[in-house]
Amino acid sequence: MSDRRIEDLLARMTWAEKLGQLQITYHPDPARTRALISAGMGSIFWQGDAEATNAMQRHAVENTRLGIPLLVGLDVIHGQRTIFPTPLALAASFEPRHAEQVASVSGREAASGGVNWTFSPMIDVSRDPRWGRIVEGFGEDVLLNSCFGAAMVRGYQGDDLSAADAIAATAKHFVGYGQPEGGRDYNTADMSEYRLRNVYLPPFQAVVEAGAASVMASFNTIDGLPVHANRRLLTGVLREEWGFDGVTVGDADGVMNLIPHGIAANAADALKLAFAAGLNVEMGGNVVADGVPTLSEAELSPVVVDAAVRRVLALKTALGLFERPYVVAEREIVAATPEHRDIARRMAPDTMVLLKNDGDLLPLADRERILVTGPYAESTDHLGAWVQAFATPAGRIVDALRERLPGTDVVVSAGASFLGTDEAALRAAAASQAAEIGFAIVFAGEPSNISGEAASRSDLRLPGEQEALIHAIADTGVPFVVVLESGRPLVVSDWFDRAPAVLQAWHLGTEAPAAIVSALMGETAPSGKLPASFPRSSGQVPTHYSHDNTGRPATTGGSMAPTTWDPALHGPNNVDDKYASKYLDLDLGPLLPFGHGLTYTRFEYSGARLREGDVALNALRDGATFGLEITLTNVGDRAGDEVVQLYTHDVVAHRVQPVRVLRRFTRVHLEAGESRAVSFELGFDDLAFWSESHSVPGFDVEPGAFEVFIGGSSEAPLAARITVGAPQHALSREPIAHRYARSTQASTTGVAS
Ligand code: GLC
């Protein structure tokens, strides 16, 4: 529909009809939903299948005065019928193309049923695994969230939003939701503008640049103002700075939450605040209640309302809904197809993270008998958070093992439930079987229902008595493997040293059992890297790799004894390590760092080199770039994938800089013995940080030294030191997704070994 047609429609709309376009709600009773549509509601949640959704569309198009078709929304987060690895698991692949494919397939399945708007991707940087929704985003890093979020927008929306299998993406939750105080969902997430601009906003800018059709406001406050009523963010940053011209939608009841937030006295106040701040669509059905507008034209600016309605009509136009409001019900995809299952299974090894593998216990050798124990041995709960009831379920790992190992006696002994207590007899039986059989696999983890929204946990250890089960198996002295399935990073410190091999298998969805067994048997090789740190204890969070050095960095942890004093590290006055930033009762740093992950072969890095001279470094703002190269060699006896990561550190700047920031990553496949040169190209945007240190806030690359680290985790060694000769300032940066794409195009050049 052209702008003229939108204007024509707008001119004919009554006040109630306009407001009706500015809300979405869900009601289980179709008759009630039909009545709401008759009263002008312009958006609904998916009705459960194509037929029912077509019926509601038909009611809107044929039985309302103006026949405006409906937006049909749904949370299609990591699958619709086919369930894929959770977003955090996808991030572990460090391969955004997987996320794009998940979004494309999920969008196709959802669109076939009449969904045309998904509330995904979630790109809330999160550094606190107590927050259950860490599972729903792409972890602790800015670049990962940016690249994966942009990839999902491309997957959902494709090149043409009006295509039959395209659905509108929603970047959420704008903004800062991933840092709630205490890791408690919905809690205050107050932070400095400096952190907001350098950590939490960039992924949203990347996703807006990728063309996201809508943005969802977050429940939290920033600067003491809930984002649902925060004009500086919803309009100032999103629209005036970034030029976003899509639809802004509230989170469920997010507008009405302004009342308990204490900034609105009633529903009318809340709506006025939200629409004035720049929200376009309220999720909750309070704008027009039972056909009666909550606000009159005297209470809500018609200019604001018209602008919001235009955006909603423009989205419906872009989706092609005026021309094609219905789907062909006979073509609805109602279950995971073999093709989609295959896609889910093939990407799974890239998401699994081999945390340790002492003595190369994995892949499993052929054995006559195996004991499998732990709640995930027989559970079918592999789908993870944010999965709807109509998803295609997963099977059981024990069945997948027996199918794959027909000649092996796979003995099951529960050992523990997910959340149970007083299970000493269960684990004694499992331990006894383990001792008799001589080998065990413990399938442990957290069930999906204590992960995701409204699932914050104060204690991040394995729930129930699963830790006791692992100790009981370890006490037998037989070799054993632990397979962990969880939505979030867990605290595994209590037993980690006793387990020879530990595989983090997240929640991998419909194909989880087959994928996990394939990886255990070595048919595939886990090659993921941690997208979020594994803390040593729940009390250590938030903990992440891109932290500040502080004025008193510690060099030893967990000890009150002073250690050697290094003036270069401790500064001129700190005579020992006691007065340093650490815990008395904990070693330093996370148990497992961001970017960590092993595989079934080994890689060596050598020959790190700066590809160009310093001259490029002084003209970065003018588009000059510089290159870094390193040689990667597969020194093992089987082919494998390595995710090469490049981090920078701005040694001295006018604002404190993180000790490392991920700037590039690329997945490289090498045959046994093969070597390759891996090269990265960086520019201004990769060294710049946002600050308000100029008359006009913007991005700075400062003169001075930068350290560059390249390797297989955030603990990568120093690869090069570069010196920027002159200060360089810009008001904006190149879109992150463009920078990442440039790097992967030039990332590897084959060099015969
Ligand atoms: C929930 C979530 C949001 C989701 C919305 C609609 O409260 O916060 O992510 O899209 O409601 O289901």
Side-chain angles (χ1 to χ4, degrees):
M1 173 184 271
S2 65
D3 289 352
R4 189 182 59 73
R5 284 176 60 187
I6 288 177
E7 291 307 316
D8 167 59
L9 191 53
L10 194 64
R12 289 187 286 140
M13 292 170 83
T14 65
W15 181 249
E17 286 166 337
K18 288 179 180 179
L19 292 191
Q21 292 297 315
L22 307 185
Q23 69 179 20
I24 177 172
T25 191
Y26 170 74
H27 203 283
D29 175 3
R32 180 86 180 100
T33 302
R34 200 182 298 276
L36 288 168
I37 294 168
S38 300
M41 185 159 70
S43 302
I44 60 172
F45 273 81
W46 189 52
Q47 296 295 297
D49 63 34
E51 287 281 359
T53 304
N54 275 343
M56 293 302 173
Q57 277 291 14
R58 189 163 289 108
H59 182 59
V61 170
E62 298 176 3
N63 302 335
T64 62
R65 190 172 76 86
L66 295 170
I68 299 173
L70 301 166
L71 287 176
V72 179
L74 186 69
D75 294 280
V76 185
I77 307 297
H78 57 107
Q80 171 77 348
R81 305 291 187 171
T82 311
I83 302 304
F84 293 90
T86 60
L88 190 62
L90 288 172
S93 72
F94 281 66
E95 181 47 85
R97 284 182 287 236
H98 288 327
E100 184 168 348
Q101 192 170 34
V102 167
S104 173
V105 172
S106 308
R108 193 181 318 142
E109 291 184 350
S112 75
V115 175
N116 52 47
W117 187 21
T118 178
F119 306 122
S120 175
M122 194 268 229
I123 48 176
D124 297 306
V125 171
S126 176
R127 294 160 166 185
D128 189 332
R130 291 173 298 182
W131 188 52
R133 302 195 79 165
I134 193 172
V135 66
E136 203 181 329
F138 301 103
E140 70 187 48
D141 180 69
V142 176
L143 185 62
L144 272 190
N145 274 279
S146 303
C147 292
F148 275 74
M152 290 202 88
V153 167
R154 291 193 296 270
Y156 287 129
Q157 299 187 169
D159 299 327
D160 173 9
L161 199 51
S162 68
D165 59 0
I167 58 178
T170 303
K172 73 181 186 183
H173 305 79
F174 185 76
V175 63
Y177 183 35
Q179 186 175 316
E181 288 176 2
R184 200 162 58 251
D185 208 350
Y186 314 121
N187 200 10
T188 298
D190 223 0
M191 65 184 78
S192 67
E193 182 74 0
Y194 182 66
R195 171 159 299 177
L196 197 64
R197 292 280 181 171
N198 286 296
V199 177
Y200 294 93
L201 281 171
F204 284 91
Q205 187 167 15
V207 172
V208 163
E209 288 159 352
S214 63
V215 171
M216 179 182 283
S218 57
F219 289 122
N220 58 284
T221 57
I222 292 288
D223 303 330
L225 193 53
V227 175
H228 278 72
N230 196 314
R231 182 174 177 78
R232 182 179 76 85
L233 294 170
L234 281 178
T235 298
V237 173
L238 196 53
R239 296 200 189 280
E240 292 166 0
E241 278 190 44
W242 295 351
F244 175 65
D245 62 359
V247 169
T248 49
V249 60
D251 201 339
D253 290 334
V255 175
M256 292 303 115
N257 289 171
L258 297 179
I259 300 169
H261 268 302
I263 67 150
N266 51 48
D269 274 1
L271 287 166
K272 276 188 264 185
L273 283 170
F275 283 119
L279 199 77
N280 300 150
V281 176
E282 185 256 348
M283 185 179 283
N286 298 284
V287 185
V288 178
D290 293 323
V292 178
T294 305
L295 296 168
S296 70
E297 291 179 78
E299 295 170 301
L300 187 56
S301 155
V303 172
V304 167
V305 167
D306 285 357
V309 174
R310 282 192 188 94
R311 291 200 168 98
V312 172
L313 295 180
L315 178 54
K316 294 182 176 183
T317 300
L319 284 162
L321 295 180
F322 286 94
E323 290 74 27
R324 193 191 68 250
Y326 313 118
V327 295
V328 179
E330 295 71 29
R331 293 190 198 138
E332 182 178 9
I333 301 169
V334 295
T337 65
E339 177 205 359
H340 294 172
R341 283 177 175 271
D342 185 52
I343 292 169
R345 193 168 52 252
R346 276 189 286 110
M347 71 174 58
D350 292 357
T351 70
M352 285 185 255
V353 184
L354 184 56
L355 301 179
K356 65 182 292 191
N357 190 22
D358 294 349
D360 293 340
L361 186 60
L362 287 175
L364 296 180
D366 289 339
R367 293 175 185 278
E368 285 183 19
R369 306 183 72 202
I370 293 178
L371 173 76
V372 296
T373 183
Y376 264 114
E378 298 177 277
S379 168
T380 58
D381 171 25
H382 305 284
L383 302 188
W386 268 114
V387 168
Q388 326 269 357
F390 46 78
T392 303
R396 304 188 312 164
I397 287 180
V398 64
D399 298 331
L401 262 175
R402 285 176 172 150
E403 182 182 339
R404 171 65 187 71
L405 300 173
T408 299
D409 180 14
V410 178
V411 177
V412 181
S413 179
S417 63
F418 281 119
L419 307 171
T421 55
D422 301 331
E423 297 184 330
L426 269 181
R427 59 180 170 269
S432 164
Q433 292 263 44
E436 189 249 324
I437 289 170
F439 185 83
I441 307 175
V442 184
F443 291 99
E446 65 174 4
S448 301
N449 64 3
I450 62 171
S451 167
E453 182 172 0
S456 302
R457 292 180 63 203
S458 66
D459 180 346
L460 296 172
R461 293 175 302 166
L462 280 166
E465 296 185 349
Q466 297 180 69
E467 287 192 329
L469 169 63
I470 293 172
H471 283 298
I473 299 297
D475 290 345
T476 66
V478 304
F480 70 101
V481 173
V482 176
V483 176
L484 279 181
E485 292 190 54
S486 64
R488 55 168 45 94
L490 296 174
V491 168
V492 301
S493 308
D494 184 67
W495 51 267
F496 192 71
D497 292 343
R498 303 192 71 190
V502 183
L503 177 66
Q504 172 66 21
W506 311 108
H507 286 130
L508 297 178
T510 305
E511 287 298 302
I516 291 170
V517 168
S518 169
L520 290 173
M521 300 315 299
E523 291 156 359
T524 58
S527 59
K529 300 283 188 176
L530 291 180
S533 309
F534 271 51
R536 293 180 186 277
S537 85
S538 305
Q540 188 182 38
V541 297
T543 182
H544 58 94
Y545 86 92
S546 196
H547 59 82
D548 296 345
N549 201 31
T550 77
R552 296 195 172 191
T555 54
T556 61
S559 156
M560 295 172 71
T563 57
T564 50
W565 166 50
D566 172 354
L569 196 61
H570 291 113
N573 305 315
N574 181 356
V575 291
D576 68 36
D577 210 23
K578 173 173 172 47
Y579 301 97
S581 180
K582 63 180 183 179
Y583 297 98
L584 293 180
D585 55 354
L586 211 55
D587 286 339
L588 297 184
L591 181 76
L592 298 165
F594 174 87
H596 168 76
L598 308 176
T599 188
Y600 292 155
T601 186
R602 284 175 181 74
F603 294 93
E604 281 182 1
Y605 291 76
S606 60
R609 50 208 174 270
L610 184 62
R611 202 177 61 203
E612 307 217 1
D614 283 358
V615 62
L617 296 172
N618 296 329
L620 297 173
R621 181 57 255 154
D622 304 329
T625 59
F626 62 97
L628 289 140
E629 282 191 357
I630 198 158
T631 299
L632 182 70
T633 302
N634 178 346
V635 297
D637 56 9
R638 66 179 272 172
D641 282 17
E642 169 70 331
V643 176
V644 180
Q645 304 153 52
L646 182 148
Y647 299 82
T648 62
H649 172 221
D650 188 345
V651 179
V652 178
H654 69 272
R655 283 287 188 285
V656 167
Q657 296 301 302
V659 293
R660 292 182 186 211
V661 181
L662 179 69
R663 299 299 186 184
R664 287 289 185 275
F665 56 87
T666 189
R667 175 176 280 268
V668 182
H669 179 82
L670 295 183
E671 295 305 317
E674 182 184 2
S675 284
R676 267 203 213 166
V678 181
S679 61
F680 296 99
E681 183 183 282
L682 289 93
F684 174 88
D685 303 299
D686 302 303
L687 301 184
F689 65 93
W690 183 93
S691 81
E692 293 178 317
S693 299
H694 296 271
S695 55
V696 178
F699 295 91
D700 288 298
V701 171
E702 293 199 354
F706 287 80
E707 294 169 325
V708 183
F709 308 87
I710 303 178
S713 90
S714 56
E715 296 183 340
L718 184 67
R721 274 194 178 82
I722 60 177
T723 304
V724 174
Q728 302 171 56
H729 179 73
L731 299 185
S732 64
R733 285 192 299 190
E734 181 189 9
I736 279 181
H738 295 184
R739 305 204 307 268
Y740 175 78
R742 188 175 63 230
S743 170
T744 48
Q745 283 160 4
S747 62
T748 56
T749 51
V751 173
S753 58

